[in-house]
Amino acid sequence: MYTTLISVTQLDTLLQAEPAAVVVLDCRSYLTAPEKGEVVYLEGHISGAGYLNLETELSSPVTADSGRHPLPDFAILCAVLRKRGVNSGTQVVVYDDCNGAMAARAWWLLRVLGHKQVAVLDGGYPAWLAAGLPVSDQLPLLSEGDFGGQPDLSMILPLQQVARYPEEGALVDARTPERFRGEQEPIDPVAGHIPGAINRPLQLNLTSDGLFKSADQLHQEWLSILQGCPSQQVAHYCGSGVTACHNQLAMEHAGLHGSKVYPGSWSEWIRDPQRPVATGQ
């Protein structure tokens, strides 16, 4: 059972040995071009993979008070996963083409729903292509599964607890240092970060070739940044609750279990001008 990461070699072996026991889901998405994800999926994907749409399936519609990617309705998401062939015992593998930044959202949502046997493909679609493994532009024929999960709300940090969370634990921002410091903001109308947060850009979870660092290295790096804060008192956020899941995945892979995600993230936080904003380091 793979619960955090799976290599392209491991996935290929699994698909050859037990194809019926594995569901592969393409999660490619692009924040500045939401429609492009499904386009590139139709052009070519891992053979047999279905598609999960970040905007319409892994998120619910944006409201006046929400962030850019509100949590999906969990009952609807369960139905979507059933249609993609997921059963209660299925090994699910999710992938993208941006080092897991999008696929981690699907990984985390499945974990919230109680499905532990889900892993992100390390290196994603580029690594699969580089290994010369089979791809297709044909839509898969999927048999409906029986998946039915119940959300574990303890994995979610609600908005009402965010302001005081840095006093109780660690609130970790996954965005780039420039966005965290408020020097750049290419997406949201307000720059800066939630007061008391610390910055751990998701890119630091990766090696120069786009693969995740070893579990041992990630363990040491995260212990260093958390400075004694227990992993159960850590909550992650980002711009809209998507890439924050990358940091949670890295911690889980490192054996540091129990952190939360604030899904509304920065784009929800700044909806109310009365909420404080910090800039600088």
Side-chain angles (χ1 to χ4, degrees):
M1 181 171 70
Y2 296 89
T3 60
T4 55
L5 298 171
I6 186 170
S7 71
V8 293
T9 302
Q10 289 168 329
L11 176 57
D12 182 50
T13 300
L14 206 57
L15 288 172
Q16 292 192 49
E18 294 184 89
V22 187
V23 168
V24 182
L25 297 170
D26 188 315
C27 301
R28 282 178 286 176
S29 185
Y30 310 93
L31 297 181
T32 57
E35 70 288 341
K36 184 181 174 185
E38 195 157 6
V39 171
V40 296
Y41 166 76
L42 293 172
E43 290 173 349
H45 48 265
I46 293 176
S47 295
Y51 184 71
L52 280 180
N53 191 305
L54 171 64
E55 306 294 332
T56 61
E57 295 172 327
L58 300 179
S59 308
S60 58
V62 174
T63 70
D65 299 321
S66 76
R68 288 183 278 107
H69 291 103
L71 286 177
D73 179 291
F74 287 114
I76 294 174
L77 179 57
C78 285
V80 168
L81 293 168
R82 286 194 294 273
K83 288 180 180 178
R84 300 298 189 277
V86 179
N87 295 302
S88 57
T90 299
Q91 173 67 63
V92 179
V93 176
V94 292
Y95 73 89
D96 58 31
D97 57 2
C98 52
N99 309 122
M102 300 295 137
R105 166 81 163 208
W107 170 84
W108 178 70
L109 286 171
L110 275 153
R111 294 282 293 243
V112 168
L113 287 169
H115 196 76
K116 293 185 177 178
Q117 54 270 41
V118 53
V120 171
L121 181 62
D122 201 9
Y125 195 58
W128 187 264
L129 291 176
L133 294 168
V135 298
S136 173
D137 60 1
Q138 301 299 306
L139 295 179
L141 297 174
L142 302 173
S143 299
E144 184 153 346
D146 61 10
F147 181 77
Q150 290 295 323
D152 179 359
L153 300 183
S154 71
M155 296 176 64
I156 299 168
L157 180 67
L159 172 63
Q160 296 76 13
Q161 297 178 20
V162 173
R164 68 176 184 270
Y165 206 80
E167 302 170 10
E168 304 170 354
L171 186 61
V172 184
D173 189 319
R175 297 173 301 160
T176 62
E178 295 80 11
R179 290 184 72 192
F180 178 81
R181 294 192 298 261
E183 298 165 0
Q184 297 178 6
E185 186 43 71
I187 303 175
D188 292 308
V190 178
H193 61 267
I194 298 171
I198 57 178
N199 189 210
R200 166 74 180 190
L202 68 89
Q203 292 81 4
L204 294 182
N205 298 323
L206 305 166
T207 63
S208 59
D209 58 3
L211 299 175
F212 275 77
K213 294 174 180 175
S214 70
D216 288 343
Q217 185 174 355
L218 287 169
H219 187 90
Q220 293 303 316
E221 290 182 6
W222 276 97
L223 287 183
S224 177
I225 193 173
L226 295 176
Q227 298 182 342
C229 179
S231 56
Q232 296 86 351
Q233 292 173 230
V234 176
H236 304 282
Y237 81 95
C238 56
S240 66
V242 175
T243 61
C245 303
H246 198 279
N247 273 350
Q248 213 227 20
L249 171 61
M251 283 189 64
E252 288 288 324
H253 184 58
L256 299 169
H257 306 299
S259 63
K260 306 174 188 289
V261 170
Y262 165 38
S265 284
W266 181 246
S267 56
E268 177 184 64
W269 180 261
I270 59 173
R271 288 285 195 171
D272 183 349
Q274 299 303 312
R275 294 188 190 117
V277 169
T279 56
Q281 195 58 47

